[in-house]
Amino acid sequence: MADQQDPPRVTLHMGYTNNLGNFESLRIDVGIEDSRRSNETVDDTFARLYEKLEGKLVEFVLETRKKLNG
């Protein structure tokens, strides 16, 4: 019986700091972790996670800016 290993895990974190003025800033950090899929290289997994994470970070930044300015 072959020794079966779990697929590599890939973890990616991104952050954005927004200067609010008056020596205040807002920091938003997001992260994601997933396993490499059988049809992917590790680089493919990073690219897939980056695309998802980047979209979420932009979404959270825009939502937070709207709340702060609202």
Side-chain angles (χ1 to χ4, degrees), residues 8-27:
R9 304 276 306 163
V10 173
T11 303
L12 191 61
H13 296 274
M14 285 183 182
Y16 176 81
T17 302
N18 186 44
N19 183 355
L20 302 174
N22 293 328
F23 302 101
E24 295 180 325
S25 62
L26 169 70
R27 176 83 184 162

Side-chain angles (χ1 to χ4, degrees), residues 42-57:
V42 172
D43 286 342
D44 292 337
T45 306
F46 270 111
R48 176 174 53 84
L49 296 182
Y50 182 86
E51 184 178 336
K52 180 70 173 175
L53 197 57
E54 181 183 38
K56 278 297 180 188
L57 181 60

Side-chain angles (χ1 to χ4, degrees), residues 28-47:
I28 299 173
D29 290 292
V30 293
I32 191 170
E33 180 178 344
D34 200 359
S35 294
R36 181 185 57 83
R37 296 178 181 165
S38 61
N39 63 336
E40 290 180 327
T41 66
V42 172
D43 286 342
D44 292 337
T45 306
F46 270 111

